[in-house]
Amino acid sequence: MELLRFATAGSVDDGKSTLIGRLLYDSKQIFEDTLEALEHSTMLRGEEGMNLALLTDGLRAEREQGITIDVAYRYFATPRRKFIIADTPGHVQYTRNMVTGASTADLALILVDARKGIIEQSRRHAFLASLLGVPHLVLCVNKMDLVDYDEAVFERIKSEFRDFAAKLDVRDLQFVPMSALHGDNVVDRSANTPWYEGTSLLHHLEEVHIASDRNLIDCRFPVQYVIRPRDDNHHDYRGYAGQVASGSYKVGDDVVVLPSGFTSTVASIDTADGPVEEAVPPMSVTIRLADDLDVSRGDMICRPHNQPNISQDVDAMLCWFGERVPLKAGGKYALKQTSKWTRALVKDLHYRLDVNTLHRDERADSLSLNEIGRVTLRTTAPLFSDDYRRNRATGSFILVDEARNDTLAAGMIL
Amino acid sequence: MHRLISHLDALESESIHLLREVAAEFERPVLLFSGGKDSVVMLHIAKKAFWPARLPFPVMHVDTGHNFPEVIEFRDSSVDKLDVNLVVASVQASIDTGRVAEDPGPRAARNRRQPTPRLDAIDAHGFDAVMGGARRDEEKARAKERFFSFRDEFGQWDPKNQRPEIWSLYNGRHRKGEHIRVFPLSNWTELDIWQYVADKEIELPSIYYAHRRKVFRRDGMLMAVTDFLQPGEGEEVFEATVRYRTVGDATCTAAVSSMAVAIDDVIAEVAASRITERGATRADDKFSEAAMEDRKREGYF
C-alpha cells in the first residue's frame, strides 16, 4: 500500500472541514467517542447538531477564538492507499501554515465555494502550492448543490482558474465539482452531475500516479550519521547513514564524495534487515564505500558525472516567518540544508512578491511575517544544492535565529 | 527491484531519519521506553537506525509504581537483550521525597503525576532530547504536535510558540536548560503500529493479547483488579476475556473485551474498531475536553 501526503487549503466557509470530516467518516476514521465529544462540545457552544470544524480545532485558544491556528495532521486509509492530510487553515498565518503543509505534500486540494468562484485566497493557495513544488493540484468546486449543480458555473470557475494557473508552474491540475455536505463526487460519482466526466475526489486520491514524482536521476545522498560500531564483530565497519534524497544507488556504482572530491565505489548498501541491491528515495540506508575515505555528516555522496551546484552564493525565494524582526539585507542567520548547518548573510533582497497579484515590488527593503521575496545569500561553507524545481530535498533550506533559535524562514533555491 | 515504497517502509524510513538526526545533533538524547507497543516499535526502529552499532543513547522509563508485572518483565528483558542503559524515573520516589503529592482517595491515578519525576530525571541527567512514541492520531491536541517539540526550561509546551516545521529540515537548536521532545512515530496510526508489529514479528507484552483476568466495571470501562486498584462498593468483580489497547498506569488503564489471541485477530479488531484507543481505555483523558492539552503543557507527553 502506497502513502500519499496531501495538503488542504481553504477556509471554514469553503466547507473544508466538512470535506475532511466526510473523507474521514466515510473511510470510518472518525471514532464514536470522537463523535460523542464533538456533539458535546457543539452543544456547549450553544450550537446544534455537529460542528465538524471542531474536529480540527484541537487547541483551547483555537476553540475560544473559533479559528484554527495551526496545521493539523489527519490520517485515513482505504484498501488502496494510506493518506496523511496536512490540514492548513486559510486565514490566520496562512503563508506559514500553507508552506508547512505543502512542503511535504504530493498533492494539494484547494476548495472554492461555487457561489463565490475564484477569490483572492484561492489564487494565493494555488501560488503557494506551486511555489512549494507540489506536483498535483486539485481544485474542488464545492457547494455545487447551492448552484443547482449547474455545469456552466463549474466550467466558468474552471476556465478562470486555468487562466491563472497558466502563470504558475503547475504540472497536474484537476477539477472536481462537489458537495462535501451531501457527498456528491467525494467518495462516489454523483448522479447530480451527469455532465461531469471525471472521477470522484477519493478515486483520484487513490489513483493519482505519484511514484514518478520522485527524482530518480540525480544521485544525492546527504550523509546524516557515520556508523562505527567499534566492537569485535564489526571491527572495521564504517557506514554512512542517510536517507536517499534523489537518484538511485546500486552496489558497484562509481561515486564522488563532496566536498573532498574523492572518488570510490559503493561496496554495499546496508539495512538492519540485510543488504539491498538498490536504494531509491525515500529509503533510509547505510552506504559503505570500497575505499577508506574521510566522510562525515554534512558531506554528500553523488555520481562523478552528475553533481549538484557547489557554491557559497545562493539565489532563493524566501518565505519569512519571523515575528519579531523583518528580514533585511545584511541579516545573518544559521542555515540548515540537507544534513548540514552553516551560516548565511543576506546580501541582497531583490523584490517582495505580492502573493495575491504576483506583482514584484522591487523597492521593498524588508520582508515581514508571512511575506515572500527573492534574495541572494552568501554562506560560510559551500552548499551542495540543486534548483528546488528539480529537487525538493536538495533545493530547500531553513533560516534560524542564531541567538533565539526560532525558525525564521523557508527557502527555495533558484 | 521494486521501486514502489510501501506505507510502512515510508513511515519506518521517516522515523529512522528522525532518530539519526537526534543522535547527530544532540549531546544527551534519551529514548522513553515503557514496554507499551508504541515505545517497543520506536525502540525496534532505533535499533535498526544504528545497526550494526549499539544504540547511541540510553532509554528511560517513567515508572508510576502502578505497573502491570507482565509489562515490567517485558521491559527488563528487552533492555537486557539490547544491551542498553535503562534510567528509571520513579513516581514513587518523588512521592517519598515529597516532590509529588498523591491524589487522595481510592481513584488516585498516577499518570498525571509523571511530569515531575520525568522533568527531574531530564534535569539530573542533562538530557537535551527526549524521544517519545506519541502519535498524532491519538488525540486532537496531538494532531498539531511537531516532530521536534520545543520545551522551555520548565519543561513546558507552549502551543503558540512552536517552530514551523518545513520539509524534513528539523530545527533542534536550544539553549542550556531547554530541551526538545521528539516524536519519531508522529505519522503512524494505531493500525500502522499493529501492521508493523505483525510484519516484523515484534514481541509485545502478553497483555496486549486476549487473556482471562479478574475485572470490574467502572465508568463504563473494564478495570483489572490489582495490588493498586481494588473495586469500590457495589463494583462487582468478574472474570472476563480481555486485552489491552494501551498499557499504562494500572489504576487508570482499562481493558477491552476481546477474543483476539493472535496478531491477525488484533489487526482485524483495530481495523473494525469504532472507538479510539485513548477513549476506550484511558480514564485520565476523560477529566475534561482539554485534559491532554493541559497535561502536555505541564510536561506530560
Side-chain angles (χ1 to χ4, degrees):
Chain A
M1 198 159 73
E2 240 182 334
L3 179 64
L4 179 103
R5 299 173 199 250
F6 68 94
T8 57
S11 67
V12 177
D13 304 336
D14 299 325
K16 179 168 61 90
S17 300
T18 313
L19 175 63
I20 292 173
R22 180 157 290 282
L23 285 171
L24 298 182
Y25 191 76
D26 287 351
S27 60
K28 297 191 172 60
Q29 300 286 319
I30 298 184
F31 294 104
E32 280 166 12
D33 54 327
T34 311
L35 279 182
E36 250 172 56
L38 199 62
E39 269 176 33
H40 185 66
S41 40
T42 307
M43 192 189 72
L44 286 179
R45 290 161 59 103
E47 297 164 7
E48 287 192 7
M50 207 178 305
N51 184 345
L52 276 170
L54 294 178
L55 257 185
T56 45
D57 295 349
L59 305 173
R60 183 176 294 161
E62 295 177 337
R63 283 193 301 275
E64 282 167 3
Q65 296 168 41
I67 52 165
T68 312
I69 294 170
D70 218 333
V71 181
Y73 293 88
R74 305 277 151 200
Y75 303 85
F76 73 103
T78 67
R80 278 197 57 82
R81 269 184 181 163
K82 172 187 161 105
F83 299 95
I84 300 179
I85 311 176
D87 181 18
T88 68
H91 37 332
V92 185
Q93 290 275 17
Y94 57 82
T95 302
R96 192 186 88 166
N97 287 319
M98 180 80 194
V99 166
T100 302
S103 69
T104 52
D106 303 302
L107 179 148
L109 284 187
I110 297 175
L111 268 87
V112 300
D113 183 329
R115 294 168 304 175
K116 298 182 194 153
I118 308 299
I119 56 173
E120 190 177 281
Q121 188 176 274
S122 332
R123 282 189 279 269
R124 186 200 297 154
H125 288 150
F127 167 71
L128 290 173
S130 128
L131 181 70
L132 270 291
V134 180
H136 308 276
L137 197 60
V138 180
L139 190 82
C140 301
V141 181
N142 193 23
K143 304 196 182 181
M144 285 300 292
D145 52 316
L146 300 179
V147 296
D148 297 326
Y149 300 99
D150 184 352
E151 182 181 8
V153 171
F154 177 68
E155 288 300 329
R156 195 166 60 237
I157 291 172
K158 200 168 141 178
S159 100
E160 192 188 337
F161 192 80
R162 265 224 176 96
D163 288 348
F164 175 73
K167 293 186 238 170
L168 308 173
D169 183 13
V170 179
R171 275 186 265 169
D172 170 33
L173 176 60
Q174 301 291 328
F175 298 86
V176 183
M178 65 170 61
S179 164
L181 192 63
H182 300 292
D184 296 295
N185 293 326
V186 177
V187 173
D188 298 307
R189 282 191 56 180
S190 169
N192 292 320
T193 53
W195 41 265
Y196 172 62
E197 287 172 355
T199 64
S200 74
L201 174 65
L202 185 62
H203 189 262
H204 182 63
L205 294 175
E206 286 182 315
E207 298 295 330
V208 61
H209 186 64
I210 53 168
S212 53
D213 294 339
R214 289 174 298 176
N215 177 333
L216 293 172
I217 296 164
D218 308 317
C219 289
R220 307 284 185 262
F221 186 82
V223 175
Q224 236 194 312
Y225 192 85
V226 180
I227 295 182
R228 299 204 63 181
R230 301 173 204 272
D231 61 26
D232 294 343
N233 296 332
H234 306 90
H235 198 72
D236 295 321
Y237 190 97
R238 188 181 173 93
Y240 306 112
Q243 190 168 27
V244 180
S246 58
S248 150
Y249 290 81
K250 292 191 187 72
V251 175
D253 279 352
D254 292 325
V255 292
V256 59
V257 180
L258 302 175
S260 70
F262 289 124
T263 53
S264 184
T265 54
V266 175
S268 81
I269 303 172
D270 296 343
T271 75
D273 297 325
V276 294
E277 278 301 305
E278 184 188 18
V280 294
M283 289 167 67
S284 284
V285 296
T286 301
I287 289 181
R288 280 191 290 150
L289 300 179
D291 302 278
D292 206 4
L293 302 179
D294 183 18
V295 180
S296 50
R297 175 174 166 86
D299 290 359
M300 191 181 273
I301 300 176
C302 308
R303 302 296 303 272
H305 301 296
N306 179 343
Q307 297 190 24
N309 299 316
I310 304 170
S311 175
Q312 284 172 260
D313 297 292
V314 172
D315 266 31
M317 293 301 290
L318 209 62
C319 305
W320 189 252
F321 308 132
E323 299 192 27
R324 290 181 316 119
V325 284
L327 171 120
K328 283 196 160 87
K332 287 180 187 152
Y333 307 98
L335 181 151
K336 187 179 190 186
Q337 183 245 2
T338 65
S339 55
K340 188 185 182 110
W341 282 98
T342 175
R343 297 182 71 209
L345 164 72
V346 180
K347 292 194 73 176
D348 205 358
L349 170 63
H350 302 282
Y351 58 80
R352 178 171 59 212
L353 195 71
D354 183 320
V355 293
N356 298 314
T357 61
L358 305 188
H359 173 73
R360 296 173 176 184
D361 181 359
E362 289 174 3
R363 291 165 311 164
D365 61 0
S366 70
L367 295 180
S368 305
L369 175 65
N370 287 321
E371 290 186 333
I372 294 172
R374 179 171 176 159
V375 294
T376 299
L377 304 177
R378 170 87 182 165
T379 57
T380 50
L383 299 184
F384 317 130
S385 71
D386 295 280
D387 176 351
Y388 182 80
R389 292 267 147 239
R390 188 168 172 88
N391 200 321
R392 284 167 100 182
T394 57
S396 54
F397 63 86
I398 56 171
L399 294 183
V400 171
D401 187 309
E402 290 189 294
R404 299 167 59 97
N405 300 322
D406 306 327
T407 302
L408 295 176
M412 284 142 287
I413 295 169
L414 294 163
Chain B
M1 174 72 200
H2 64 98
R3 288 175 164 191
L4 280 183
I5 306 290
S6 78
H7 74 293
L8 289 181
D9 287 343
L11 290 171
E12 184 196 62
S13 175
E14 177 180 82
S15 303
I16 287 177
H17 176 254
L18 271 138
L19 287 155
R20 287 171 172 170
E21 282 298 285
V22 172
E25 294 209 343
F26 291 85
E27 280 174 29
R28 297 187 71 82
V30 67
L31 183 138
L32 291 179
F33 182 68
S34 62
K37 65 181 187 310
D38 301 320
S39 70
V40 172
V41 165
M42 182 168 62
L43 185 59
H44 180 89
I45 294 173
K47 195 173 70 181
K48 294 181 78 166
F50 303 101
W51 181 91
R54 292 174 55 193
L55 275 197
F57 38 71
V59 301
M60 175 160 80
H61 180 216
V62 182
D63 182 354
T64 63
H66 290 166
N67 299 296
F68 293 99
E70 297 90 336
V71 178
I72 289 297
E73 262 169 47
F74 179 86
R75 177 196 78 184
D76 292 341
S77 76
S78 305
V79 165
D80 280 351
K81 262 185 253 170
L82 269 177
D83 189 23
V84 291
N85 286 330
L86 173 71
V87 176
V88 177
S90 159
V91 174
Q92 186 62 52
S94 293
I95 291 171
D96 294 346
T97 55
R99 291 277 293 144
V100 166
E102 202 154 10
D103 282 346
R107 293 190 173 200
R110 286 183 175 176
N111 245 17
R112 302 197 310 153
R113 296 291 164 264
Q114 286 186 39
T116 302
R118 175 183 297 128
L119 292 173
D120 285 352
I122 290 170
D123 276 351
H125 294 270
F127 293 133
D128 54 359
V130 182
M131 291 167 272
R135 311 186 320 264
R136 286 175 179 149
D137 80 321
E138 282 178 71
E139 201 273 337
K140 63 183 185 175
R142 283 185 174 166
K144 300 182 180 185
E145 184 56 283
R146 307 292 196 268
F147 283 102
F148 273 40
S149 177
F150 174 77
R151 305 300 160 108
D152 66 14
E153 55 269 56
F154 300 102
Q156 295 182 106
W157 178 68
D158 178 359
K160 284 190 208 138
N161 189 24
Q162 293 296 316
R163 299 168 179 172
E165 224 159 52
I166 311 126
W167 300 291
S168 43
L169 294 172
Y170 306 107
N171 172 10
R173 292 166 67 113
H174 59 281
R175 291 179 281 197
K176 203 170 164 55
E178 299 167 342
H179 72 277
I180 307 281
R181 295 283 167 89
V182 182
F183 304 108
L185 304 183
S186 290
N187 277 332
W188 296 61
T189 62
E190 186 186 11
L191 188 57
D192 296 329
I193 293 285
W194 280 109
Q195 287 171 340
Y196 188 81
V197 166
D199 204 41
K200 307 292 178 193
E201 299 177 1
I202 296 171
E203 197 189 334
L204 291 180
S206 57
I207 64 172
Y208 275 113
Y209 302 100
H211 56 286
R212 299 288 289 173
R213 183 181 281 272
K214 281 203 172 76
V215 294
F216 60 93
R217 209 172 280 284
R218 177 175 286 176
D219 300 336
M221 293 186 285
L222 294 177
M223 307 300 291
V225 180
T226 62
D227 292 349
F228 328 106
L229 189 68
Q230 295 295 325
E233 212 172 301
E235 290 175 329
E236 187 197 336
V237 175
F238 56 100
E239 199 168 279
T241 303
V242 298
R243 70 175 191 87
Y244 285 83
R245 283 176 75 182
T246 68
V247 300
D249 185 316
T251 61
C252 64
T253 304
V256 291
S257 280
S258 171
M259 301 302 266
V261 292
I263 183 98
D264 292 343
D265 308 332
V266 174
I267 290 177
E269 209 176 88
V270 171
S273 173
R274 302 296 295 138
I275 299 181
T276 64
E277 62 185 7
R278 296 200 80 87
T281 64
R282 285 300 181 92
D284 49 339
D285 284 343
K286 291 204 164 177
F287 277 85
S288 78
E289 183 176 11
M292 177 70 92
E293 185 180 341
D294 289 341
R295 282 183 293 142
K296 276 175 71 77
R297 283 173 187 271
E298 291 164 16
Y300 184 88
F301 267 77

